[in-house]
Amino acid sequence: MNNIQEQKVPFRQLLAFFIPLGVSASLVTISHVIINSTLARSAQPEVIIASYALPLSILGLTERPAVLMRQTCSALVRDRISFRAMSVISWYILACIMLLGALICYTPIGKWVFLHFFGAEPAMIQPMIEVYQILMFVSIFSGLRCLYHGIIIFNMRTKWLTIGMVIRLVAMYLLSLYFIHTNQVNSGRVGAILFLVGMMVEASVSIWEGRSLLRQIPEKKPDHPIEKPKQIFQFYRPLLYSSVIAVIVGPSVNAFLGKTMDFQLAVASFAIASSLTNLVQSFFSYIHQIVLNFYRKDPKSVMKFTFTLAFIPSILIALLSYTPMGPWFMQNVMGVNERLMHASLDTLRVFMITTLVFPWLDFANGMIMLRGETKVMIWSQAANVSVTLISLVLTIVLTPGWNGMVGALAQSLGLAAEAAVVWFVLRQVLRSNDKPPFQMTLKT
């Protein structure tokens, strides 16, 4: 193990690994721009986009278990035996996602969800169900993509994530041009088809590269203990539970924004500010993969690399919030009016708390996954939700005129609470457990 720790990892190697991951994460936002701009060409864009947007929000929930397969695979799979164990868990996950999708699409449950939970008009229910009948398969291909992403990431071939995303965007754009020029943009199903085709293309690229890498790894790696699906599930289950808990945050923020002094301004300014924050932050959302793949080799280099990146999101948000760049971007690129622009800038300034906290939370989560202590994430997510809800209640009572800033502050404080719990537990684990877990002792 000492030899592993003494290996020097050059800064350029960390960059070469990290940049393709960041670019692929940022490019995801472009795929949604393609879909929305295509649907906006319809005769009734508001109705068509709404019939696509609400089923898409359900996809955001059902896709979460599939996306978690990426972290699980990259952390635990080191040989073909462990990959087969991972595959068993993956097929169970995908089968459950398909079952849930079938319940929504082909039983009264789906109508109830859209009608009573989302409050959709009765005339919109059937079009939304037809959209989700297509979107439910997006989760399946997303899961396959993430499974092989884990193999690609561990083998340091991260450029293939960017390549897959670029090919996906090209396919979606060409298909969107076909729908537009043949005047077939007449329902939300068009958006679902674009998303599904894009995900199928990206999954195909990932599977092709991942399968070629699988042929190069050993059947059984010495000293790697992962052999059974049960061991995989012990790692995956806390990630799933914490993800389920996290689902509460989004709907809670939206619900409380409805109690501010200006509901429409609050929702709109929060949406714009959070979308810009997510756009900036998405590029830096793979720090945990740097930890998983390099920390055991060179902890000092990983810490220096993280410290170098950690403040960039805050600097970028500060440039948008406090310089003419922000107003120019919102007015000329996003088409925001002056009143909404000022409200969005105020909300964006509050989100700077999030950008300061998130890189270090992602680093700590990487350490937690590296040591196999994923159950900690259940408690950290519970802290996030609790503090978010308390903050929402207090700010609505004390300062309802903050509008969108209410959601930004509550979400930021919740993230800070999550980070505090993770770092506290991590510090205790590092102090009390001198013997590293199996992930730390792997030979590379």
Side-chain angles (χ1 to χ4, degrees):
M1 178 181 168
N2 291 333
N3 292 335
I4 295 173
Q5 286 185 329
E6 290 172 2
Q7 293 180 24
K8 271 309 263 189
V9 179
F11 192 86
R12 64 179 179 275
Q13 183 180 352
L14 295 175
L15 273 180
F17 175 87
F18 181 81
I19 288 179
L21 292 174
V23 171
S24 65
S26 299
L27 289 177
V28 170
T29 59
I30 299 178
S31 65
H32 296 293
V33 171
I34 292 174
I35 293 171
N36 289 326
S37 62
T38 302
L39 297 181
R41 305 293 184 93
S42 64
Q44 295 178 302
E46 295 86 0
V47 176
I48 299 299
I49 291 174
S51 69
Y52 170 77
L54 290 183
L56 183 66
S57 65
I58 295 182
L59 175 68
L61 304 181
T62 58
E63 193 185 14
R64 279 175 176 263
V67 172
L68 294 174
M69 289 159 56
R70 181 191 289 125
Q71 292 98 310
T72 305
C73 185
S74 65
L76 302 185
V77 173
R78 298 295 181 268
D79 50 37
R80 275 179 267 181
I81 289 179
S82 56
F83 179 78
R84 285 195 287 270
M86 179 73 215
S87 298
V88 171
I89 297 296
S90 300
W91 289 117
Y92 276 116
I93 295 167
L94 297 180
C96 290
I97 292 174
M98 281 294 293
L99 177 61
L100 181 58
L103 290 174
I104 293 173
C105 293
Y106 302 106
T107 73
I109 292 176
K111 294 182 179 179
W112 183 92
V113 168
F114 287 116
L115 186 63
H116 298 288
F117 185 78
F118 287 105
E121 297 177 3
M124 296 285 291
I125 302 302
Q126 188 57 38
M128 289 180 179
I129 289 177
E130 290 175 357
V131 168
Y132 195 74
Q133 287 172 348
I134 299 172
L135 286 180
M136 64 182 285
F137 292 99
V138 173
S139 297
I140 304 303
F141 286 99
S142 178
L144 293 173
R145 169 196 65 161
C146 291
L147 174 64
Y148 285 96
H149 275 181
I151 300 294
I152 293 169
I153 290 170
F154 174 69
N155 284 275
M156 310 298 169
R157 306 274 290 183
T158 52
K159 66 179 181 182
W160 281 97
L161 271 69
T162 304
I163 293 171
M165 179 56 68
V166 170
I167 297 175
R168 163 184 165 175
L169 292 177
V170 170
M172 291 177 66
Y173 180 68
L174 293 176
L175 186 58
S176 73
L177 291 179
Y178 168 77
F179 282 127
I180 292 170
H181 289 300
T182 56
N183 294 318
Q184 295 189 52
V185 186
N186 50 19
S187 75
R189 288 167 60 91
V190 170
I193 292 171
L194 287 173
F195 201 177
L196 177 59
V197 169
M199 191 62 74
M200 290 173 65
V201 169
E202 186 184 4
S204 299
V205 173
S206 300
I207 292 171
W208 180 76
E209 174 64 13
R211 296 296 298 180
S212 67
L213 290 173
L214 271 176
R215 290 191 288 269
Q216 300 173 23
I217 65 176
E219 175 70 16
K220 172 62 182 173
K221 189 170 185 177
D223 303 325
H224 185 56
I226 301 299
E227 298 177 348
K228 300 179 180 178
K230 181 180 178 181
Q231 295 169 296
I232 301 285
F233 191 65
Q234 287 175 344
F235 181 95
Y236 174 84
R237 182 174 55 194
L239 293 178
L240 179 63
Y241 291 165
S242 64
S243 181
V244 170
I245 296 172
V247 169
I248 300 172
V249 172
S252 299
V253 171
N254 289 326
F256 275 90
L257 287 178
K259 303 180 185 300
T260 56
M261 291 184 66
D262 193 329
F263 164 67
Q264 292 182 341
L265 183 64
V267 172
S269 61
F270 179 82
I272 290 172
S274 61
S275 65
L276 287 174
T277 303
N278 290 336
L279 179 61
V280 169
Q281 207 162 251
S282 62
F283 186 87
F284 303 91
S285 61
Y286 279 101
I287 291 176
H288 67 276
Q289 290 291 351
I290 289 286
V291 176
L292 286 173
N293 289 279
F294 294 101
Y295 187 85
R296 62 178 175 266
K297 298 178 183 178
D298 191 349
K300 291 182 179 179
S301 293
V302 170
M303 284 295 297
K304 290 178 181 177
F305 185 81
T306 303
F307 191 83
T308 302
L309 294 184
F311 299 101
I312 296 178
S314 297
I315 293 171
L316 294 175
I317 293 297
L319 289 173
L320 289 173
S321 301
Y322 294 103
T323 72
M325 185 185 300
W328 179 88
F329 185 84
M330 289 186 182
Q331 289 182 321
N332 294 281
V333 178
M334 303 184 73
V336 174
N337 61 48
E338 187 172 355
R339 179 169 177 260
L340 180 55
M341 178 195 72
H342 288 300
S344 300
L345 287 173
D346 289 340
T347 305
L348 194 63
R349 288 163 189 153
V350 178
F351 268 124
M352 283 188 67
I353 301 172
T354 294
T355 58
L356 284 169
V357 172
F358 179 79
W360 295 109
L361 171 61
D362 202 37
F363 174 87
N365 279 336
M367 290 291 293
I368 290 294
M369 286 187 279
L370 188 68
R371 302 186 67 85
E373 301 285 349
T374 51
K375 60 182 180 293
V376 173
M377 294 182 181
I378 299 176
W379 299 106
S380 63
Q381 281 293 347
N384 185 336
V385 172
S386 300
V387 171
T388 299
L389 293 176
I390 293 170
S391 301
L392 285 169
V393 172
L394 290 177
T395 49
I396 287 297
V397 171
L398 298 175
T399 57
W402 280 12
N403 294 322
M405 290 188 288
V406 166
L409 180 63
Q411 201 164 294
S412 298
L413 293 179
L415 197 74
E418 180 183 350
V421 171
V422 173
W423 275 101
F424 174 79
V425 175
L426 182 61
R427 187 177 180 184
Q428 300 303 312
V429 169
L430 292 174
R431 281 182 172 181
S432 62
N433 186 13
D434 292 331
K435 183 180 179 181
F438 70 86
Q439 289 95 338
M440 297 288 284
T441 57
L442 287 174
K443 295 179 181 179
T444 58

